[in-house]
């Protein structure tokens, strides 16, 4: 899954029933089921490449929607003659409805909610240069409020950011340079309220920082040559603790790993 060229890991709300991508913020979607172009590297199954809206330059526009369990709002428009923006957000308020229906027993009922936020800003530096800044944030939270039987908290979500500079060298040749950040995490925290009770905590995370450069050349109307290179720094975190809680002290801690790795790629394709 790519959003403005940024890899988004495990993008799903409600355990996979809902997409994290708000359709109000998406400009273009490209799905490739096989025979991927070289620019996508070694994908195994499919590629979903999405581009966010850049924001209209005509006038301020506001749109949204309200349903029984969630609402969404999108604002886009010009900042000045050279720039525009787009902000789109969505929030599920099932947690609020659950508390209202449960009444006095709200502490006994688990609550769930999610939210996501898309934002993009672009600025025309010159006739040949344009700057794009985009970001994406989403999170799901499932928790049980603290009561006599204990509590639990499960969460997962993504954070991405992309700073891209597009430069037109000639009418048939242009380049893109990007600085990209993406972060996915999943965590579980289960604990009891008694002085002597079992506890379990786990956290996993994938964090990437990427530098990408690419150029497209059009010798004529029937040919397109694309060349690019990228370097990625990966950080993988796997953290697990399990044990017994006695006087607010968690012990029997084990199995913590933090791994760094580097990935580089180069491609050339002629269509």
């Amino acid at each position: 899954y790519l959003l403005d060229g940024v890899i988004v890991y495990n993008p799903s709300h409600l355990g996979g029933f809902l997409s994290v991508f708000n359709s109000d913020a998406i400009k273009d979607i490209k799905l490739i089921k096989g025979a991927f172009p070289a620019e996508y590297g070694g994908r195994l199954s499919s590629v979903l490449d999405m581009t966010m809206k850049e924001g209209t330059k005509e006038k301020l526009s506001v749109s949204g929607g309200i349903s029984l369990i969630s609402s969404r709002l999108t604002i886009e428009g010009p900042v000045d003659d050279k720039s525009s923006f787009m902000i789109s957000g969505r929030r599920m308020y099932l947690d609020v409805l659950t508390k209202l229906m449960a009444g006095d027993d709200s502490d006994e009922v688990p609550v769930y909610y999610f939210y996501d936020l898309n934002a993009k800003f672009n600025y025309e530096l010159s006739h040949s240069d344009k700057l794009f800044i985009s970001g994406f944030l989403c999170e799901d939270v499932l928790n049980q409020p603290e009561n006599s039987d204990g509590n639990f908290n499960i969460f997962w979500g993504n954070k991405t950011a992309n700073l891209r500079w597009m430069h037109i060298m000639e009418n048939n040749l242009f380049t893109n340079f990007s600085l990209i950040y993406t972060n996915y995490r999943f965590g579980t925290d289960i604990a009891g309220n008694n002085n002597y009770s079992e506890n379990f905590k786990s956290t996993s995370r994938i964090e990437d920082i990427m530098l990408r450069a690419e150029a497209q050349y059009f010798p004529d109307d029937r040919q397109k040559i694309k060349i690019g290179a990228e370097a990625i720094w990966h950080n993988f975190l796997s953290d697990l603790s399990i044990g017994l809680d006695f006087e607010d002290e968690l012990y029997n801690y084990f199995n913590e790993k933090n791994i760094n790795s580097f990935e580089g790629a180069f491609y050339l394709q002629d269509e």
Side-chain angles (χ1 to χ4, degrees):
Y1 297 87
L2 297 172
L3 183 63
D4 273 4
V6 185
I7 298 174
V8 182
Y9 296 100
N10 193 23
S12 64
H13 285 314
L14 201 60
F17 285 100
L18 295 175
S19 171
V20 300
F21 304 115
N22 186 355
S23 59
D24 292 344
I26 302 300
K27 174 185 177 182
D28 181 61
I29 298 176
K30 180 167 60 176
L31 175 64
I32 306 174
K33 296 293 290 183
F36 315 121
E39 61 183 292
Y40 294 111
R43 307 302 175 195
L44 292 179
S45 59
S46 60
V47 174
L48 185 63
D49 192 351
M50 292 161 287
T51 304
M52 281 195 282
K53 294 179 179 178
E54 297 177 5
T56 176
K57 291 187 177 180
E58 298 176 357
K59 61 180 181 179
L60 185 67
S61 174
V62 180
S63 63
I66 299 176
S67 71
L68 293 176
I69 60 173
S70 67
S71 296
R72 66 185 193 276
L73 180 67
T74 301
I75 304 174
E76 59 177 325
V79 178
D80 52 35
D81 295 338
K82 294 185 177 181
S83 60
S84 63
F85 76 97
M86 184 279 301
I87 299 176
S88 182
R90 182 174 52 168
R91 171 66 153 87
M92 173 189 255
Y93 35 77
L94 189 60
D95 55 328
V96 178
L97 298 177
T98 302
K99 289 183 179 180
L100 291 176
M101 290 186 292
D104 296 336
D105 297 327
S106 60
D107 290 343
E108 304 294 330
V109 180
V111 296
Y112 168 78
Y113 68 91
F114 70 75
Y115 64 87
D116 49 63
L117 179 67
N118 298 74
K120 193 168 186 177
F121 172 80
N122 65 90
Y123 182 74
E124 188 176 337
L125 300 171
S126 67
H127 179 70
S128 303
D129 298 275
K130 200 169 185 180
L131 190 67
F132 300 88
I133 302 174
S134 61
F136 170 67
L137 174 67
C138 73
E139 186 172 37
D140 288 62
V141 177
L142 172 63
N143 61 43
Q144 165 77 51
E146 188 171 347
N147 55 38
S148 59
D149 296 327
N151 63 88
F152 68 86
N153 183 31
I154 301 173
F155 58 89
W156 66 94
N158 284 278
K159 299 176 184 177
T160 74
N162 187 3
L163 173 63
R164 179 167 65 92
W165 168 41
M166 184 183 72
H167 175 63
I168 302 175
M169 303 184 69
E170 298 178 6
N171 292 334
N172 59 348
L173 175 63
F174 69 93
T175 59
N176 281 290
F177 301 93
S178 302
L179 174 61
I180 294 171
Y181 173 80
T182 183
N183 182 305
Y184 169 75
R185 63 178 188 142
F186 183 95
T188 303
D189 186 355
I190 302 174
N193 271 350
N194 299 323
N195 290 332
Y196 193 71
S197 57
E198 294 183 354
N199 289 267
F200 176 85
K201 293 182 180 181
S202 69
T203 302
S204 59
R205 185 190 69 211
I206 304 173
E207 185 178 32
D208 294 345
I209 298 176
M210 178 190 300
L211 289 173
R212 176 187 294 156
E214 56 186 11
Q216 293 191 50
Y217 176 58
F218 301 87
D220 52 53
D221 295 338
R222 297 183 300 170
Q223 186 178 15
K224 179 175 70 174
I225 299 174
K226 194 169 185 179
I227 185 173
E230 63 184 30
I232 311 174
W233 174 80
H234 298 283
N235 176 258
F236 304 97
L237 173 66
S238 176
D239 199 0
L240 173 66
S241 59
I242 186 170
L244 300 175
D245 190 78
F246 182 71
E247 296 181 352
D248 298 326
E249 181 180 358
L250 182 66
Y251 63 96
N252 197 20
Y253 181 82
F254 66 94
N255 200 22
E256 176 185 6
K257 287 191 176 181
N258 197 321
I259 301 173
N260 297 315
S261 67
F262 176 80
E263 177 183 351
F266 169 81
Y267 71 87
L268 172 65
Q269 62 187 44
D270 184 4
E271 180 180 351

